[in-house]
Amino acid sequence: MVKEKTHVNVVIIGHVDSGKSTTTGHLVYKCGGIDQRRLEKFEKAAAQMGKSSFKFAWVLDKLKAERERGITIDISLLKFNTQKYTMTIIDAPGHRDFIKNMITGTSQADVALLVVSAAKGEFEAGVSRSGQTREHALLAYTLGVKQIIVCVNKMDLTEPPYSQKRFDEVARSVSSFLKKVGYDPATVPFVPISGWTGENMITATQRMPWFQGWKARRREGNASGRTLLEVLDSIQPPIRTINKPLRLPLQDVYKIGGVGTVPVGKIETGVLKPGMTLMFSPAKLTAEVKSIEMHHQGLQAALPGHNVGFNIKNVAVKNLRRGDVAGNAQQDPPSDVSSFEAQVIILNHPGKLKAGYSPVLDCHTAHVTCRFAELREKIDRRTGKKLEDHPQILMSGDAATVKLVPIKPMCVESFFTYPSLGRFAARDLKQTVAVGVIKSVEKDQGSKKAQVCK
């Protein structure tokens, strides 16, 4: 038995039509996630609809609705292998309407692959104030995706094709806003590719002789290479915490005939095993795990970072939903919170923000409206020093400690105990207005009476 490769979750982000699905589809096809026959089938179907350049994207856009609009709506998971890792790709949607799906996808990723289009006009649209390239990068950063890779796509459509000048211009512009977001551009590799022709994805390109290769500064020593595949191989494997109690935010809950209720999600900390008794919060249910699957293979133990589906006994699908968190009922089970204290940074709020403001908070896979109950103190966002007590208002660019109260039951944890359940983004007016980390939680005391489903 070959030693299992490390598991890495990659989320692919970027403005709509920057070529994310096509790039990903091509990668998966080249790295053995898909067979030639299926691709040919997609090619025929795409040609019939007059969209022949979409054949790779169709690998990912399995949903019929997406095929007709040509947009990725839900998060499709696919896996492929590089030399060092097994990658699960989360192709996140780029359209404004789907930002909520994109957040759910990003909160499960270890690495973000930001795809920007070098085609004339498309890049500018993606990076403009209303474009999503910035917002996605920002969300990735707040949701804790520490490593980001930039793919400059559609190099075959620059004027002239494969133009070095255009690549440099795009790379400069992207690195300046990545710096504003919080990434250090020196650690970010920039790779010119064409997702459609497959240029510089797996094998080094001949069409771009000027490209000297990408470099990235890393603590363990610098990484460099030519192709996109090499970049994916150079990422640092995420550190998984096995010794903590189990936390598994649900991404979806399915009802499967003959099997029963199957919740799906990514394990953030701890280990999940068949026979365990789980506690779901805020649903306040306990149930026993019958079996666990990942990518259609049964597992005897699922570890942090695994995207799994597991079957539970005697729980109706309607009692669980996306955003619930599963934990071990015997070991620090999760509970919903009545309020929590968080440190937030206000990003782009058009006006003044007062106590009582209630945006939608996206934390792990939950989307719940929360009220800013009190603004406790305003702090300097760089040093964390206190600037004033109980500010009346907060504006864009301010950082503050606030008390938040969810308007319906919600399960979150402090950032220090369970990092992935302690980061959030606040959305309002179809944009991200604030991001933050949770410092402490006030557990709901009335949650002792959990229903037991035998």
PDB file of all heavy atoms in Angstrom, residues 167-192:
ATOM      1  N   PHE A 167       1.246  40.810 -19.145  1.00  0.00           N
ATOM      2  CA  PHE A 167       1.412  39.967 -17.950  1.00  0.00           C
ATOM      3  C   PHE A 167       1.975  40.799 -16.792  1.00  0.00           C
ATOM      4  O   PHE A 167       1.489  40.752 -15.676  1.00  0.00           O
ATOM      5  CB  PHE A 167       2.333  38.776 -18.250  1.00  0.00           C
ATOM      6  CG  PHE A 167       2.719  37.991 -17.017  1.00  0.00           C
ATOM      7  CD1 PHE A 167       1.785  37.201 -16.365  1.00  0.00           C
ATOM      8  CD2 PHE A 167       4.007  38.045 -16.503  1.00  0.00           C
ATOM      9  CE1 PHE A 167       2.134  36.485 -15.222  1.00  0.00           C
ATOM     10  CE2 PHE A 167       4.364  37.335 -15.366  1.00  0.00           C
ATOM     11  CZ  PHE A 167       3.414  36.551 -14.726  1.00  0.00           C
ATOM     12  N   ASP A 168       3.013  41.605 -17.114  1.00  0.00           N
ATOM     13  CA  ASP A 168       3.644  42.401 -16.066  1.00  0.00           C
ATOM     14  C   ASP A 168       2.662  43.411 -15.490  1.00  0.00           C
ATOM     15  O   ASP A 168       2.610  43.648 -14.289  1.00  0.00           O
ATOM     16  CB  ASP A 168       4.875  43.133 -16.611  1.00  0.00           C
ATOM     17  CG  ASP A 168       5.991  42.141 -16.943  1.00  0.00           C
ATOM     18  OD1 ASP A 168       5.903  40.996 -16.453  1.00  0.00           O
ATOM     19  OD2 ASP A 168       6.920  42.507 -17.689  1.00  0.00           O
ATOM     20  N   GLU A 169       1.856  44.003 -16.395  1.00  0.00           N
ATOM     21  CA  GLU A 169       0.897  45.018 -15.967  1.00  0.00           C
ATOM     22  C   GLU A 169      -0.135  44.392 -15.011  1.00  0.00           C
ATOM     23  O   GLU A 169      -0.431  44.921 -13.941  1.00  0.00           O
ATOM     24  CB  GLU A 169       0.212  45.552 -17.236  1.00  0.00           C
ATOM     25  CG  GLU A 169      -0.854  46.576 -17.025  1.00  0.00           C
ATOM     26  CD  GLU A 169      -1.593  46.859 -18.350  1.00  0.00           C
ATOM     27  OE1 GLU A 169      -1.113  46.450 -19.438  1.00  0.00           O
ATOM     28  OE2 GLU A 169      -2.662  47.457 -18.273  1.00  0.00           O
ATOM     29  N   VAL A 170      -0.654  43.239 -15.402  1.00  0.00           N
ATOM     30  CA  VAL A 170      -1.644  42.548 -14.579  1.00  0.00           C
ATOM     31  C   VAL A 170      -1.022  42.144 -13.240  1.00  0.00           C
ATOM     32  O   VAL A 170      -1.598  42.363 -12.178  1.00  0.00           O
ATOM     33  CB  VAL A 170      -2.194  41.307 -15.319  1.00  0.00           C
ATOM     34  CG1 VAL A 170      -3.030  40.449 -14.384  1.00  0.00           C
ATOM     35  CG2 VAL A 170      -3.034  41.742 -16.514  1.00  0.00           C
ATOM     36  N   ALA A 171       0.188  41.573 -13.303  1.00  0.00           N
ATOM     37  CA  ALA A 171       0.839  41.105 -12.083  1.00  0.00           C
ATOM     38  C   ALA A 171       1.077  42.267 -11.117  1.00  0.00           C
ATOM     39  O   ALA A 171       0.845  42.142  -9.915  1.00  0.00           O
ATOM     40  CB  ALA A 171       2.151  40.423 -12.420  1.00  0.00           C
ATOM     41  N   ARG A 172       1.489  43.413 -11.672  1.00  0.00           N
ATOM     42  CA  ARG A 172       1.735  44.590 -10.818  1.00  0.00           C
ATOM     43  C   ARG A 172       0.460  45.012 -10.119  1.00  0.00           C
ATOM     44  O   ARG A 172       0.417  45.229  -8.916  1.00  0.00           O
ATOM     45  CB  ARG A 172       2.257  45.751 -11.673  1.00  0.00           C
ATOM     46  CG  ARG A 172       3.740  46.023 -11.497  1.00  0.00           C
ATOM     47  CD  ARG A 172       4.117  47.446 -11.898  1.00  0.00           C
ATOM     48  NE  ARG A 172       3.461  47.883 -13.122  1.00  0.00           N
ATOM     49  CZ  ARG A 172       3.911  47.588 -14.350  1.00  0.00           C
ATOM     50  NH1 ARG A 172       4.983  46.841 -14.504  1.00  0.00           N
ATOM     51  NH2 ARG A 172       3.274  48.033 -15.419  1.00  0.00           N
ATOM     52  N   SER A 173      -0.594  45.124 -10.901  1.00  0.00           N
ATOM     53  CA  SER A 173      -1.857  45.595 -10.356  1.00  0.00           C
ATOM     54  C   SER A 173      -2.396  44.646  -9.290  1.00  0.00           C
ATOM     55  O   SER A 173      -2.836  45.063  -8.229  1.00  0.00           O
ATOM     56  CB  SER A 173      -2.845  45.765 -11.505  1.00  0.00           C
ATOM     57  OG  SER A 173      -4.117  45.886 -11.018  1.00  0.00           O
ATOM     58  N   VAL A 174      -2.323  43.331  -9.569  1.00  0.00           N
ATOM     59  CA  VAL A 174      -2.843  42.360  -8.616  1.00  0.00           C
ATOM     60  C   VAL A 174      -1.998  42.377  -7.350  1.00  0.00           C
ATOM     61  O   VAL A 174      -2.525  42.338  -6.241  1.00  0.00           O
ATOM     62  CB  VAL A 174      -2.875  40.935  -9.219  1.00  0.00           C
ATOM     63  CG1 VAL A 174      -3.273  39.923  -8.157  1.00  0.00           C
ATOM     64  CG2 VAL A 174      -3.874  40.887 -10.367  1.00  0.00           C
ATOM     65  N   SER A 175      -0.673  42.477  -7.497  1.00  0.00           N
ATOM     66  CA  SER A 175       0.116  42.385  -6.274  1.00  0.00           C
ATOM     67  C   SER A 175      -0.118  43.618  -5.423  1.00  0.00           C
ATOM     68  O   SER A 175      -0.075  43.537  -4.199  1.00  0.00           O
ATOM     69  CB  SER A 175       1.591  42.122  -6.540  1.00  0.00           C
ATOM     70  OG  SER A 175       2.162  43.188  -7.192  1.00  0.00           O
ATOM     71  N   SER A 176      -0.452  44.771  -6.035  1.00  0.00           N
ATOM     72  CA  SER A 176      -0.685  45.942  -5.182  1.00  0.00           C
ATOM     73  C   SER A 176      -1.968  45.758  -4.378  1.00  0.00           C
ATOM     74  O   SER A 176      -2.009  46.102  -3.211  1.00  0.00           O
ATOM     75  CB  SER A 176      -0.713  47.229  -6.003  1.00  0.00           C
ATOM     76  OG  SER A 176      -1.979  47.391  -6.573  1.00  0.00           O
ATOM     77  N   PHE A 177      -3.035  45.153  -4.971  1.00  0.00           N
ATOM     78  CA  PHE A 177      -4.202  45.032  -4.113  1.00  0.00           C
ATOM     79  C   PHE A 177      -4.126  43.839  -3.178  1.00  0.00           C
ATOM     80  O   PHE A 177      -4.723  43.846  -2.100  1.00  0.00           O
ATOM     81  CB  PHE A 177      -5.529  45.139  -4.872  1.00  0.00           C
ATOM     82  CG  PHE A 177      -6.019  43.923  -5.565  1.00  0.00           C
ATOM     83  CD1 PHE A 177      -6.569  42.867  -4.855  1.00  0.00           C
ATOM     84  CD2 PHE A 177      -5.992  43.842  -6.942  1.00  0.00           C
ATOM     85  CE1 PHE A 177      -7.061  41.755  -5.500  1.00  0.00           C
ATOM     86  CE2 PHE A 177      -6.480  42.722  -7.585  1.00  0.00           C
ATOM     87  CZ  PHE A 177      -7.012  41.681  -6.863  1.00  0.00           C
ATOM     88  N   LEU A 178      -3.307  42.823  -3.510  1.00  0.00           N
ATOM     89  CA  LEU A 178      -3.118  41.717  -2.556  1.00  0.00           C
ATOM     90  C   LEU A 178      -2.415  42.250  -1.313  1.00  0.00           C
ATOM     91  O   LEU A 178      -2.682  41.826  -0.199  1.00  0.00           O
ATOM     92  CB  LEU A 178      -2.274  40.602  -3.169  1.00  0.00           C
ATOM     93  CG  LEU A 178      -2.984  39.685  -4.168  1.00  0.00           C
ATOM     94  CD1 LEU A 178      -2.036  38.602  -4.654  1.00  0.00           C
ATOM     95  CD2 LEU A 178      -4.227  39.061  -3.567  1.00  0.00           C
ATOM     96  N   LYS A 179      -1.525  43.219  -1.543  1.00  0.00           N
ATOM     97  CA  LYS A 179      -0.793  43.790  -0.417  1.00  0.00           C
ATOM     98  C   LYS A 179      -1.770  44.545   0.487  1.00  0.00           C
ATOM     99  O   LYS A 179      -1.716  44.448   1.701  1.00  0.00           O
ATOM    100  CB  LYS A 179       0.286  44.730  -0.947  1.00  0.00           C
ATOM    101  CG  LYS A 179       1.294  45.127   0.091  1.00  0.00           C
ATOM    102  CD  LYS A 179       2.463  45.822  -0.555  1.00  0.00           C
ATOM    103  CE  LYS A 179       3.498  46.229   0.479  1.00  0.00           C
ATOM    104  NZ  LYS A 179       4.681  46.785  -0.189  1.00  0.00           N
ATOM    105  N   LYS A 180      -2.696  45.279  -0.143  1.00  0.00           N
ATOM    106  CA  LYS A 180      -3.696  46.017   0.640  1.00  0.00           C
ATOM    107  C   LYS A 180      -4.558  45.062   1.455  1.00  0.00           C
ATOM    108  O   LYS A 180      -4.947  45.339   2.570  1.00  0.00           O
ATOM    109  CB  LYS A 180      -4.595  46.830  -0.293  1.00  0.00           C
ATOM    110  CG  LYS A 180      -3.938  48.083  -0.804  1.00  0.00           C
ATOM    111  CD  LYS A 180      -4.964  49.001  -1.470  1.00  0.00           C
ATOM    112  CE  LYS A 180      -4.298  50.105  -2.253  1.00  0.00           C
ATOM    113  NZ  LYS A 180      -4.569  50.024  -3.693  1.00  0.00           N
ATOM    114  N   VAL A 181      -4.871  43.916   0.853  1.00  0.00           N
ATOM    115  CA  VAL A 181      -5.721  42.943   1.525  1.00  0.00           C
ATOM    116  C   VAL A 181      -5.005  42.335   2.733  1.00  0.00           C
ATOM    117  O   VAL A 181      -5.626  41.994   3.731  1.00  0.00           O
ATOM    118  CB  VAL A 181      -6.110  41.831   0.521  1.00  0.00           C
ATOM    119  CG1 VAL A 181      -6.696  40.641   1.226  1.00  0.00           C
ATOM    120  CG2 VAL A 181      -7.109  42.367  -0.485  1.00  0.00           C
ATOM    121  N   GLY A 182      -3.690  42.188   2.635  1.00  0.00           N
ATOM    122  CA  GLY A 182      -2.959  41.616   3.764  1.00  0.00           C
ATOM    123  C   GLY A 182      -1.941  40.550   3.390  1.00  0.00           C
ATOM    124  O   GLY A 182      -1.181  40.096   4.217  1.00  0.00           O
ATOM    125  N   TYR A 183      -1.934  40.133   2.124  1.00  0.00           N
ATOM    126  CA  TYR A 183      -0.934  39.136   1.707  1.00  0.00           C
ATOM    127  C   TYR A 183       0.401  39.822   1.463  1.00  0.00           C
ATOM    128  O   TYR A 183       0.435  41.010   1.154  1.00  0.00           O
ATOM    129  CB  TYR A 183      -1.379  38.450   0.403  1.00  0.00           C
ATOM    130  CG  TYR A 183      -2.537  37.505   0.573  1.00  0.00           C
ATOM    131  CD1 TYR A 183      -3.809  37.852   0.141  1.00  0.00           C
ATOM    132  CD2 TYR A 183      -2.369  36.257   1.165  1.00  0.00           C
ATOM    133  CE1 TYR A 183      -4.890  36.983   0.300  1.00  0.00           C
ATOM    134  CE2 TYR A 183      -3.433  35.389   1.336  1.00  0.00           C
ATOM    135  CZ  TYR A 183      -4.690  35.749   0.897  1.00  0.00           C
ATOM    136  OH  TYR A 183      -5.734  34.901   1.065  1.00  0.00           O
ATOM    137  N   ASP A 184       1.488  39.068   1.560  1.00  0.00           N
ATOM    138  CA  ASP A 184       2.792  39.624   1.215  1.00  0.00           C
ATOM    139  C   ASP A 184       3.113  39.188  -0.216  1.00  0.00           C
ATOM    140  O   ASP A 184       3.334  38.006  -0.465  1.00  0.00           O
ATOM    141  CB  ASP A 184       3.846  39.081   2.194  1.00  0.00           C
ATOM    142  CG  ASP A 184       5.258  39.434   1.753  1.00  0.00           C
ATOM    143  OD1 ASP A 184       5.400  40.177   0.757  1.00  0.00           O
ATOM    144  OD2 ASP A 184       6.215  38.972   2.390  1.00  0.00           O
ATOM    145  N   PRO A 185       3.139  40.148  -1.163  1.00  0.00           N
ATOM    146  CA  PRO A 185       3.316  39.775  -2.579  1.00  0.00           C
ATOM    147  C   PRO A 185       4.563  38.926  -2.846  1.00  0.00           C
ATOM    148  O   PRO A 185       4.578  38.148  -3.795  1.00  0.00           O
ATOM    149  CB  PRO A 185       3.410  41.116  -3.302  1.00  0.00           C
ATOM    150  CG  PRO A 185       2.758  42.090  -2.397  1.00  0.00           C
ATOM    151  CD  PRO A 185       2.966  41.593  -0.995  1.00  0.00           C
ATOM    152  N   ALA A 186       5.593  39.070  -2.007  1.00  0.00           N
ATOM    153  CA  ALA A 186       6.812  38.288  -2.248  1.00  0.00           C
ATOM    154  C   ALA A 186       6.555  36.796  -2.077  1.00  0.00           C
ATOM    155  O   ALA A 186       7.278  35.969  -2.615  1.00  0.00           O
ATOM    156  CB  ALA A 186       7.916  38.735  -1.297  1.00  0.00           C
ATOM    157  N   THR A 187       5.513  36.437  -1.339  1.00  0.00           N
ATOM    158  CA  THR A 187       5.250  35.013  -1.098  1.00  0.00           C
ATOM    159  C   THR A 187       4.236  34.458  -2.096  1.00  0.00           C
ATOM    160  O   THR A 187       3.852  33.301  -2.017  1.00  0.00           O
ATOM    161  CB  THR A 187       4.684  34.785   0.309  1.00  0.00           C
ATOM    162  OG1 THR A 187       3.442  35.506   0.407  1.00  0.00           O
ATOM    163  CG2 THR A 187       5.626  35.280   1.383  1.00  0.00           C
ATOM    164  N   VAL A 188       3.759  35.315  -3.005  1.00  0.00           N
ATOM    165  CA  VAL A 188       2.708  34.879  -3.939  1.00  0.00           C
ATOM    166  C   VAL A 188       3.294  34.599  -5.324  1.00  0.00           C
ATOM    167  O   VAL A 188       3.848  35.501  -5.949  1.00  0.00           O
ATOM    168  CB  VAL A 188       1.622  35.976  -4.074  1.00  0.00           C
ATOM    169  CG1 VAL A 188       0.543  35.536  -5.035  1.00  0.00           C
ATOM    170  CG2 VAL A 188       1.040  36.308  -2.719  1.00  0.00           C
ATOM    171  N   PRO A 189       3.187  33.356  -5.790  1.00  0.00           N
ATOM    172  CA  PRO A 189       3.659  33.074  -7.150  1.00  0.00           C
ATOM    173  C   PRO A 189       2.673  33.586  -8.208  1.00  0.00           C
ATOM    174  O   PRO A 189       1.458  33.439  -8.037  1.00  0.00           O
ATOM    175  CB  PRO A 189       3.733  31.539  -7.209  1.00  0.00           C
ATOM    176  CG  PRO A 189       3.127  31.032  -5.965  1.00  0.00           C
ATOM    177  CD  PRO A 189       2.712  32.157  -5.106  1.00  0.00           C
ATOM    178  N   PHE A 190       3.193  34.194  -9.277  1.00  0.00           N
ATOM    179  CA  PHE A 190       2.363  34.620 -10.411  1.00  0.00           C
ATOM    180  C   PHE A 190       2.692  33.755 -11.612  1.00  0.00           C
ATOM    181  O   PHE A 190       3.845  33.703 -12.028  1.00  0.00           O
ATOM    182  CB  PHE A 190       2.654  36.082 -10.769  1.00  0.00           C
ATOM    183  CG  PHE A 190       2.058  37.055  -9.801  1.00  0.00           C
ATOM    184  CD1 PHE A 190       2.684  37.347  -8.608  1.00  0.00           C
ATOM    185  CD2 PHE A 190       0.840  37.665 -10.081  1.00  0.00           C
ATOM    186  CE1 PHE A 190       2.117  38.232  -7.696  1.00  0.00           C
ATOM    187  CE2 PHE A 190       0.269  38.550  -9.180  1.00  0.00           C
ATOM    188  CZ  PHE A 190       0.910  38.828  -7.988  1.00  0.00           C
ATOM    189  N   VAL A 191       1.707  33.086 -12.174  1.00  0.00           N
ATOM    190  CA  VAL A 191       1.960  32.182 -13.294  1.00  0.00           C
ATOM    191  C   VAL A 191       1.097  32.563 -14.495  1.00  0.00           C
ATOM    192  O   VAL A 191      -0.121  32.622 -14.376  1.00  0.00           O
ATOM    193  CB  VAL A 191       1.591  30.723 -12.925  1.00  0.00           C
ATOM    194  CG1 VAL A 191       2.182  29.750 -13.919  1.00  0.00           C
ATOM    195  CG2 VAL A 191       2.042  30.392 -11.535  1.00  0.00           C
ATOM    196  N   PRO A 192       1.715  32.819 -15.673  1.00  0.00           N
ATOM    197  CA  PRO A 192       0.895  33.081 -16.854  1.00  0.00           C
ATOM    198  C   PRO A 192       0.453  31.751 -17.469  1.00  0.00           C
ATOM    199  O   PRO A 192       1.279  30.858 -17.657  1.00  0.00           O
ATOM    200  CB  PRO A 192       1.866  33.810 -17.784  1.00  0.00           C
ATOM    201  CG  PRO A 192       3.211  33.308 -17.404  1.00  0.00           C
ATOM    202  CD  PRO A 192       3.155  32.917 -15.959  1.00  0.00           C
TER     203      PRO A 192
END
